[in-house]
């Protein structure tokens, strides 16, 4: 186990979340599960999503996620952004703004193309600010629109 591992407290959807996450992100696996009774639902689990190890627990309605914690997905290009976005939406996720999307279990994800990070790191503040202004108008990232804002600044 890693020295520090994110621990996600679900209401009662841990099993469904693990199935969705491990099917959606390469480099994922279920490592251990504990069930309530021999054939009961999963109560806790250790799993890997996209190479990141997590612990999860069905803690009941007392627990809920907030945007104060989100999972950042590093996407190589627009095609990868579109792929993850589409899979999340198809599963019932709710798009919010600026590349953020809340999955059906209440967890927020940031689906971000590498090009965005490169463009906002431009030492020319006019260019980086133009990219940031363009991003703030987006729901899902649009790499071509970000590049256009950068080029025209």
């Amino acid at each position: 186990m890693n020295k520090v591992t994110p621990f996600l407290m679900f209401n009662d959807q841990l099993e469904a979340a693990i199935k969705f996450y491990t099917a959606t992100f390469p480099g994922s696996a279920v490592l251990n599960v504990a069930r309530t009774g021999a054939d009961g639902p999963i109560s806790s689990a250790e799993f890997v999503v996209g190479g990141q190890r997590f612990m999860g627990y069905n803690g009941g309605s007392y627990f809920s996620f907030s945007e104060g914690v989100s999972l950042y997905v590093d996407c190589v290009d627009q095609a990868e952004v579109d792929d993850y976005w589409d899979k999340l939406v198809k599963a019932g996720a709710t798009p919010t703004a600026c590349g953020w999307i809340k999955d059906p279990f209440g967890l927020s994800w940031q689906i971000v193309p590498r090009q965005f990070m490169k463009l906002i790191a431009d030492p020319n503040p006019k260019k980086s600010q133009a990219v940031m202004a363009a991003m703030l108008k987006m729901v899902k990232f649009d790499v071509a629109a970000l590049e256009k804002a950068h080029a025209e600044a």
Side-chain angles (χ1 to χ4, degrees), residues 31-32 40 64 68 72-73 88 93 97 107 117 124 129 138 142:
L31 304 177
N32 297 299
S64 62
Y72 181 97
V73 181
L88 283 156
L107 191 58
M117 300 307 292
N124 180 336
Q129 289 170 8
M138 297 177 181
D142 178 340

Side-chain angles (χ1 to χ4, degrees), residues 61-83:
S61 61
Y62 178 78
F63 296 99
S64 62
F65 296 112
S66 80
E67 289 80 8
V69 173
S70 62
L71 300 179
Y72 181 97
V73 181
D74 172 43
C75 296
V76 175
D77 55 20
Q78 185 70 53
E80 192 172 21
V81 167
D82 294 344
D83 181 54

Side-chain angles (χ1 to χ4, degrees), residues 39-152:
D39 296 325
I42 292 177
S43 58
S44 65
E46 183 179 0
F47 54 100
V48 175
V49 176
Q52 173 64 52
R53 187 178 296 251
F54 290 89
M55 300 293 293
Y57 188 78
N58 274 332
S61 61
Y62 178 78
F63 296 99
S64 62
F65 296 112
S66 80
E67 289 80 8
V69 173
S70 62
L71 300 179
Y72 181 97
V73 181
D74 172 43
C75 296
V76 175
D77 55 20
Q78 185 70 53
E80 192 172 21
V81 167
D82 294 344
D83 181 54
Y84 286 125
W85 196 269
D86 293 346
K87 287 175 180 174
L88 283 156
V89 168
K90 186 177 178 182
T94 305
T96 55
C98 306
W100 286 56
I101 188 166
K102 187 177 287 195
D103 75 22
F105 314 106
L107 191 58
S108 292
W109 297 77
Q110 296 181 53
I111 311 299
V112 183
R114 288 182 190 167
Q115 185 66 354
F116 171 71
M117 300 307 292
K118 178 182 174 191
L119 294 172
I120 63 167
D122 191 306
N124 180 336
K126 204 171 191 180
K127 288 188 173 285
S128 62
Q129 289 170 8
V131 172
M132 187 62 75
M135 181 274 299
L136 289 171
K137 296 175 188 169
M138 297 177 181
V139 175
K140 178 177 77 170
F141 274 95
D142 178 340
V143 174
L146 295 170
E147 290 172 337
K148 181 178 183 207
H150 183 267
E152 292 177 355

Side-chain angles (χ1 to χ4, degrees), residues 3-5 7 14 18-19 28 35 41 45 49 74 79 85 112-113 125 132 143 145:
K3 188 65 151 179
V4 176
T5 301
F7 196 107
L14 176 60
I18 290 171
K19 284 180 183 176
S28 299
R35 294 189 176 275
V49 176
D74 172 43
W85 196 269
V112 183
M132 187 62 75
V143 174

